[in-house]
Amino acid sequence: MNAQKRAEIFRRLQAANPKPTTELEYRNTFQLLIAVILSAQATDKSVNLATARFFPTHETPQSILDMGLEALTEHIRTIGLYKTKAANVIRTCAILVEKHNGQVPADRAALEALPGVGRKTANVVLNTAFGHPVIAVDTHIFRVANRTGLAPGKTVEEVEKRLTRLTPAPYRLDAHHWLILHGRYICLARKPKCPQCGIADLCEYRDKTVA
């Protein structure tokens, strides 16, 4: 895919959605971090339903620690891998209190040192909370990047590197959100909605869905 076509794809995505953001619901950076940890292998909708049970009254790491592992586990038991995630959240909260004065660090290494936080989670927090022009590649973005020809790669890391390098600078900050929403609602895994796609004529996917 040439640079002109790639730039036009992002121009159209921006025109359709000028201010994209995550669909996770949160009140501060700490809650965003927790929501993203919980969202691994789970839908944003299921995470929002679970966090609605305790986010309104728990906005700090110390508050979650005071609530305790048992209560937190009960709140999130509707989410996949809830026991492991609850343990990771409690440990993460303890580290935030002990090492970061209860604040979420705006540093990749510090974020990835937190239990349950990998590169993708760190990228989401760095991008959404701190405005870093990084791209978090999940299954939706991996699919869209490969299917469209935007930034094909065999691994998540390879796709991330290519997207970061090839996405025009003016679009890099919001690229993550545009691509994940496109994959979630238009470029579906089983049957992409090509007739409804605003970039179908630019997409290099050979087996497009017909109306």
Side-chain angles (χ1 to χ4, degrees):
M1 180 175 289
N2 62 48
Q4 291 75 19
K5 185 183 288 188
R6 192 176 291 109
E8 177 61 14
I9 284 176
F10 283 111
R11 188 197 68 77
R12 292 187 192 179
L13 292 174
Q14 182 185 57
N17 188 0
K19 295 182 179 180
T21 188
T22 179
E23 293 186 319
L24 291 170
E25 297 173 357
Y26 63 97
R27 299 187 182 191
N28 57 32
T29 301
F30 166 67
Q31 288 190 343
L32 171 65
L33 171 64
I34 300 307
V36 180
I37 291 174
L38 297 179
S39 71
Q41 300 181 47
T43 65
D44 287 359
K45 182 178 180 180
S46 68
V47 172
N48 290 338
L49 288 172
T51 55
R53 302 180 186 121
F54 64 97
F55 269 7
T57 53
H58 296 81
E59 298 187 2
T60 67
Q62 188 60 58
S63 178
I64 297 290
L65 288 174
D66 292 342
M67 176 170 59
L69 177 61
E70 185 175 345
L72 176 62
T73 302
E74 186 62 30
H75 283 312
I76 68 169
R77 63 168 43 252
T78 53
I79 302 175
L81 305 175
Y82 69 95
K83 290 183 179 180
T84 299
K85 291 177 180 179
N88 283 338
V89 167
I90 291 295
R91 290 164 57 208
T92 285
C93 288
I95 293 173
L96 291 177
V97 170
E98 294 167 6
K99 296 185 177 181
H100 302 287
N101 297 315
Q103 301 300 309
V104 177
D107 173 78
R108 177 183 300 283
L111 284 169
E112 291 188 17
L114 299 172
V117 178
R119 184 174 182 85
K120 185 190 77 171
T121 297
N123 278 352
V124 172
V125 174
L126 289 171
N127 177 271
T128 305
F130 299 112
H132 293 198
V134 294
I135 300 174
V137 178
D138 69 349
T139 55
H140 294 299
I141 296 178
F142 184 80
R143 178 175 67 255
V144 171
N146 276 285
R147 181 183 277 168
T148 62
L150 189 64
K154 294 182 179 180
T155 67
V156 167
E157 185 173 352
E158 186 178 346
V159 168
E160 180 191 332
K161 288 181 178 179
R162 295 197 72 180
L163 277 174
T164 302
R165 177 169 57 87
L166 297 172
T167 301
Y171 303 112
R172 204 168 293 145
L173 178 63
D174 293 321
H176 159 79
H177 296 301
W178 285 320
L179 294 177
I180 194 172
L181 292 171
H182 191 70
R184 186 173 290 166
Y185 296 109
I186 299 295
C187 197
L188 307 181
R190 294 185 179 181
K191 188 178 181 181
K193 298 179 179 180
C194 300
Q196 302 173 35
C197 178
I199 61 171
D201 59 314
L202 302 170
C203 171
E204 297 181 353
Y205 183 50
R206 294 181 178 180
D207 301 316
K208 290 185 175 68
T209 305
V210 295

